[in-house]
Amino acid sequence: MHMQLKSYNTLRNEATCEYEIKRSRFIGFAKPVSTVQEAQEFVAGIRTLHRDARHNVYAYTVIDGDNRYTKYSDDGEPQGTAGLPLLNCLQKREIENAVLVVTRYFGGILLGAPGLLRAYTTSATMALDMCGIDTKTLCRRITVSADYRFISGLMNVFSASGLYPLSSEYTDKAVFTLLVEEEDIENLCYNIRELTSNNAEVEIGENEYK
């Protein structure tokens, strides 16, 4: 499955929250990740930290290369009451490259399946709300090399397109690196050619999210 999504949502920050119902304590953890290994290591770390908890439920969804990996675990809770609701919280917000863990310290009062589902969903939602959401957009890395006399004009061209160089180097030429959305590349290249009378080098590089 080709997973070069045009854009996706991910978590801005890591967050932890607590929620208590009928003496059961639920601790929600959410974190942005970039690989399955990173997600698994986060889950393992929470399990180690809270090894005395009754349950450490988790879910993650990760785009790694051309594949999407999703996994969840009820960790001993009744099927469908814990891990799947966590995954649903991620999927409803179209969040990728993120992991959720909810740790439960049992308070002695059974919550029942509907109560568990609500408690895990609430904990996950609270953690996600605290993280904030970033949208990543698929771009191409563009390198523009030109004589110094074109610097001011190039900066105007970039600015008019809502672009700001990731880096600028000044050696025998001025070299700018930018991240540009696919549909904007043709127009940008045209404007650069017009400004410099074809005296600029434009190199179109790899796909990258910004």
Side-chain angles (χ1 to χ4, degrees):
M1 179 169 55
H2 193 64
M3 292 307 305
Q4 288 284 287
L5 298 177
K6 186 178 176 184
S7 66
Y8 68 88
N9 297 324
T10 192
L11 303 181
R12 183 175 300 152
N13 301 299
E14 185 174 342
T16 305
C17 68
E18 285 204 32
Y19 172 70
E20 193 167 317
I21 182 169
K22 294 184 179 177
R23 298 209 298 263
S24 270
R25 183 168 154 239
F26 294 83
I27 309 170
F29 305 88
K31 184 185 179 183
V33 293
S34 53
T35 64
V36 170
Q37 183 179 349
E38 196 178 343
Q40 290 172 340
E41 286 173 355
F42 183 73
V43 172
I46 299 298
R47 281 182 160 166
T48 300
L49 186 65
H50 294 281
R51 62 171 67 87
D52 54 337
R54 178 70 67 91
H55 306 281
N56 287 288
V57 170
Y58 72 85
Y60 62 76
T61 175
V62 177
I63 294 174
D64 198 350
D66 283 344
N67 298 295
R68 176 190 279 121
Y69 301 92
T70 58
K71 190 174 181 181
Y72 65 87
S73 168
D74 294 313
D75 194 33
E77 293 282 34
Q79 187 176 355
T81 64
L84 188 56
L86 264 60
L87 185 62
N88 286 341
C89 285
L90 292 170
Q91 292 177 336
K92 280 179 183 174
R93 300 191 191 197
E94 298 179 338
I95 293 171
E96 304 286 355
N97 288 11
V99 56
L100 274 171
V101 184
V102 177
T103 295
R104 181 190 182 193
Y105 285 89
F106 183 54
I109 300 172
L110 295 173
L111 300 182
L116 282 174
L117 196 151
R118 277 195 303 272
Y120 279 106
T121 300
T122 299
S123 303
T125 300
M126 286 170 63
L128 292 177
D129 286 345
M130 290 174 68
C131 288
I133 302 296
D134 271 341
T135 300
K136 302 286 187 181
T137 304
L138 187 62
C139 298
R140 296 290 285 273
R141 184 172 280 261
I142 306 292
T143 305
V144 181
S145 308
D147 291 338
Y148 278 65
R149 68 182 186 273
F150 297 121
I151 289 177
S152 178
L154 284 171
M155 294 308 287
N156 288 337
V157 167
F158 300 156
S159 180
S161 301
L163 299 170
Y164 303 93
L166 295 176
S167 65
S168 308
E169 293 178 33
Y170 303 99
T171 51
D172 56 325
K173 287 188 174 183
V175 182
F176 302 100
T177 303
L178 309 101
L179 287 179
V180 184
E181 291 184 44
E182 193 78 46
E183 60 262 32
D184 296 331
I185 293 174
E186 187 177 341
N187 189 52
L188 177 68
C189 290
Y190 174 80
N191 290 334
I192 292 171
R193 284 197 301 271
E194 285 287 292
L195 172 73
T196 64
S197 303
N198 273 335
N199 282 312
E201 292 177 34
V202 180
E203 184 180 323
I204 300 174
E206 296 295 311
N207 284 332
E208 196 170 323
Y209 284 99
K210 79 167 180 181

